[in-house]
Amino acid sequence: MNENKSLHAKRQSALSLLNPPQTTALSWCIVTSMGDELSSKSPSLKLEVASLTKIMTAYTAIQLCEELNLDYNEIYIRIPRIATQIGGTSAFLRRDDTLSLEELLYALMLPSGNDAAISIALHFGSILNTQRKQKIASYITCDTIQGFYDDTQMSNMNRFVRQMNENALKLGMRDSQFSNPHGLSSKANKSTALDMCRMSSAYLKIPILKQICNSKSYSCRNYEWFNTNQLLHFENYQGIKTGITPNAGACLAVSYESLLGLIIVVLIGAKDQKRRFEETDKLINWISREYTLYFNKTMYAPPRTAQSKGRSFIIKKQV
């Protein structure tokens, strides 16, 4: 155990001497699938995380299925009117349509549907309110537009958001607090790059959630959704989620299969959508090259400059 800690400390020390590529992002963090931090920039800076919030929303829904002995394959959710009225990115769900939870999770994670987030949160919040009568802490309040939710809906939404925050604590996300399930701008809805790496690691351990975020597209009923994560079109990249709001900037959480094993990168507050992809690609290219150079001497020494791989990213809309 002590030897492993010593080795990790040496690696951390060596990487700290390297110069990572410059980014416009306010914060980023790179960790292994085991949670070891490889490199970072302001990893504990509390920031709005936009639709990266939906990683926790999806995780909470599946965790509740396990906790309450519910089969997610047998859960069907009717789309409420208020879900179709929420602003921001949408899966264009139609009022009173009934979709399975799995279908709604695709609607949540691929096109980043705020309407899907509302539908999932209200459904599970209602179940929790039926089964649990304990008082909700006063600091856990959802962001609302005046008159948007009625009292019952507000109670259900608060209950689900409370569960999101309880899950965050269980995962060791001590610098995070969620105030809504979709990530629309709110000073109360904040996390850190390091915490979102922890969240992403837990998310990827659930097979159905990993499958969903790695899907480039999905069709069901009369819907067709496309994943907003353009890095999925390149080798070795896997989910997890994009996000952008004026306050949060452009955000991204991805995983990448490298010689180091699976690594997770979370980037928050990039200048624009295109740069979040370019900068994440540069960070992964850099960490892979430098780690190989320092800790696998039998391989050839790769270039020490951080370069992207000439990828082309076409941005069509804010996601």
Side-chain angles (χ1 to χ4, degrees), residues 17-274:
L17 299 176
L18 304 177
N19 294 318
Q22 294 296 311
T23 68
T24 63
L26 298 175
S27 173
W28 54 263
C29 189
I30 307 174
V31 303
T32 68
S33 59
M34 301 301 293
D36 293 329
E37 185 181 330
L38 296 178
S39 190
S40 62
K41 170 188 174 182
S42 303
S44 298
L45 181 63
K46 293 183 181 180
L47 297 165
E48 292 189 38
V49 293
S51 285
L52 299 193
T53 300
K54 295 184 175 89
I55 302 172
M56 177 59 86
T57 302
Y59 177 85
T60 298
I62 293 298
Q63 284 296 104
L64 283 172
C65 287
E66 295 183 7
E67 182 181 337
L68 301 175
N69 295 317
L70 303 172
D71 185 345
Y72 73 83
N73 290 306
E74 297 180 358
I75 294 177
Y76 288 86
I77 299 172
R78 186 177 64 83
I79 308 304
R81 176 182 60 84
I82 58 169
T84 64
Q85 295 177 329
I86 191 71
T89 51
S90 177
F92 300 103
L93 301 175
R94 293 180 288 272
R95 178 182 177 181
D96 292 332
D97 272 4
T98 300
L99 282 75
S100 69
L101 174 59
E102 181 176 348
E103 291 167 338
L104 276 179
L105 289 172
Y106 277 100
L108 178 78
M109 298 301 288
L110 272 62
S112 199
N114 293 335
D115 44 359
I118 293 293
S119 300
I120 291 169
L122 288 177
H123 178 82
F124 281 98
S126 176
I127 293 174
L128 288 171
N129 266 334
T130 299
Q131 296 195 5
R132 302 174 182 175
K133 298 300 182 181
Q134 64 265 40
K135 185 178 179 181
I136 300 176
S138 59
Y139 67 88
I140 302 176
T141 9
C142 296
D143 308 312
T144 67
I145 300 171
Q146 187 66 33
F148 189 66
Y149 299 106
D150 62 31
D151 289 344
T152 299
Q153 290 165 339
M154 174 55 67
S155 176
N156 293 341
M157 188 65 68
N158 275 335
R159 180 65 67 181
F160 185 80
V161 170
R162 171 181 177 161
Q163 193 66 39
M164 291 172 65
N165 284 305
E166 288 180 357
N167 285 340
L169 288 176
K170 290 176 183 177
L171 293 173
M173 300 170 63
R174 301 193 181 281
D175 291 320
S176 300
Q177 181 173 307
F178 298 101
S179 64
N180 63 55
H182 40 66
L184 286 174
S185 290
S186 165
K187 293 180 180 180
N189 197 83
K190 289 187 175 183
S191 187
T192 68
L194 180 57
D195 273 3
M196 291 311 299
C197 280
R198 294 188 178 108
M199 177 72 265
S200 297
S201 179
Y203 176 101
L204 291 173
K205 288 181 173 67
I206 300 176
I208 182 60
L209 294 183
K210 184 175 182 179
Q211 172 188 311
I212 289 170
C213 74
N214 287 340
S215 300
K216 297 175 184 176
S217 63
Y218 183 78
S219 300
C220 68
R221 306 172 194 273
N222 294 319
Y223 297 104
E224 185 175 17
W225 301 304
F226 297 92
N227 201 315
T228 57
N229 181 7
Q230 294 190 23
L231 288 176
L232 286 181
H233 297 283
F234 301 106
E235 188 177 6
N236 295 330
Y237 276 101
Q238 301 177 24
I240 304 162
K241 191 72 190 71
T242 63
I244 187 169
T245 63
N247 290 344
C251 306
L252 184 64
V254 298
S255 59
Y256 183 82
E257 193 63 52
S258 72
L259 292 175
L260 314 175
L262 190 71
I263 57 177
I264 295 169
V265 182
V266 171
L267 180 144
I268 302 172
K271 186 174 181 180
D272 56 51
Q273 297 179 85
K274 184 178 180 181

Side-chain angles (χ1 to χ4, degrees), residues 296-300:
N296 194 344
K297 301 294 186 180
T298 62
M299 298 188 67
Y300 70 94

